[in-house]
Amino acid sequence: MSLQPNYLEDRICLNVLANSVENAKDCYQAAEGHVVLGVLSKNYDSDEVAIADMKKYQEATDNALSVGLGAGDPNQSQMVSCISGKLQPQHVNQVFTGVGTSRALLGQSETVINGLVSPTGKVGYVNIATGPLSSQGAEGIVPIETAIKLLQDMGGSSIKYFPMKGLAHKEEFKAVAEACAKYDFYLEPTGGIDLENFEEILQIAVDAGVKKIIPHVYSSIIDAETGDTRPEDVKTLLEMAKNTLN
């Protein structure tokens, strides 16, 4: 099983939530394999239970597993690191301060590990205080370039920019995309992304020249009754992604 996501034209890979192994398989097929399926560590009572269940997702999707925190919950950071080290998934979600631990426990450089940074309301600056303790204190506002270099020091692959609230931080997002392109870093726009704003958000990253982009589209494409991510919406996202690259 590959440790690297299957990018569309070596550039874009979707990230959507999977409500079950069956839902994961349906979404994987709808995305023609260009997707990682988010499974949230917060939904499990122990590492052992999470590992046993997530293995089923790996087997069903050729390891296209994204080990999630659960709404960016910093208290899940340690659990994500521990289960990722055992599972060796294609994608790991981390708070800024958890990246080094995850990379060390993985023991390889291929799996994508993102580091969560947040908008600040100031173009060119991000908040890196997203860990279990740091998120309870004052914001840690640094230039986006500094955040990227720190993540690179820790073995991170990408900036997880959250919560974006769709296009509410458009100018800030543009600056983040430009910095990711400049410093050869991946980018993962997250929060409030839906079928209406997805293409514009993705186009900003593509136009900036970001090497690899992993947009997260979660609640907006989940069926409220079943809890499943709608495969038909995943298919629509894939077509939009293809449009941005044309």
Side-chain angles (χ1 to χ4, degrees):
M1 291 193 290
S2 174
L3 291 173
Q4 296 182 348
N6 176 17
Y7 297 93
L8 173 69
E9 294 186 30
D10 204 32
R11 195 82 189 275
I12 297 169
C13 181
L14 302 173
N15 187 324
V16 304
L17 289 177
N19 190 40
S20 65
V21 174
E22 201 56 45
N23 189 214
K25 282 161 71 172
D26 291 344
C27 291
Y28 184 75
Q29 288 168 353
E32 298 173 12
H34 303 299
V35 67
V36 285
L37 289 313
V39 183
L40 306 179
S41 61
K42 200 171 184 173
N43 294 343
Y44 298 94
D45 293 331
S46 69
D47 293 7
E48 293 72 28
V49 174
I51 289 163
D53 197 50
M54 288 187 193
K55 275 181 180 174
K56 298 172 188 172
Y57 288 84
Q58 288 180 296
E59 288 161 7
T61 62
D62 197 27
N63 199 31
L65 172 67
S66 170
V67 178
L69 295 157
D73 185 351
N75 297 312
Q76 293 301 116
S77 179
Q78 195 64 31
M79 185 177 184
V80 163
S81 289
C82 291
I83 61 183
S84 297
K86 292 283 196 298
L87 288 167
Q88 300 288 308
Q90 288 181 357
H91 187 267
V92 176
N93 292 275
Q94 259 303 359
V95 292
F96 191 89
T97 54
V99 170
T101 302
S102 283
R103 183 60 74 196
L105 289 175
L106 281 164
Q108 40 85 359
S109 60
E110 291 182 79
T111 293
V112 172
I113 306 175
N114 66 36
L116 196 161
V117 305
S118 300
T120 59
K122 189 177 176 185
V123 174
Y125 291 81
V126 294
N127 175 29
I128 63 171
T130 60
L133 297 177
S134 55
S135 62
Q136 303 301 310
E139 285 185 313
I141 297 175
V142 302
I144 179 59
E145 292 85 356
T146 303
I148 289 170
K149 294 292 185 186
L150 286 166
L151 285 169
Q152 288 172 330
D153 282 344
M154 293 187 286
S157 318
S158 59
I159 286 278
K160 179 177 182 177
Y161 196 52
F162 172 85
M164 276 179 59
K165 299 176 184 172
L167 286 159
H169 298 277
K170 186 176 176 179
E171 294 309 312
E172 285 180 78
F173 177 61
K174 281 183 180 176
V176 170
E178 286 162 8
C180 286
K182 182 178 180 180
Y183 295 104
D184 197 25
F185 211 54
Y186 301 174
L187 177 57
E188 306 192 27
T190 319
I193 304 178
D194 56 31
L195 295 174
E196 278 68 51
N197 61 29
F198 174 81
E199 201 160 350
E200 184 177 353
I201 288 168
L202 193 55
Q203 196 69 59
I204 289 168
V206 169
D207 290 348
V210 181
K211 187 176 176 182
K212 298 263 196 298
I213 309 154
I214 305 176
H216 295 226
V217 190
Y218 283 1
S219 56
S220 66
I221 58 167
I222 290 175
D223 185 294
E225 288 184 19
T226 65
D228 286 352
T229 292
R230 293 185 288 266
E232 62 271 21
D233 287 351
V234 175
K235 197 168 186 175
T236 300
L237 292 172
L238 181 69
E239 292 310 311
M240 288 180 181
K242 288 176 180 177
N243 287 341
T244 64
L245 296 176
N246 285 336

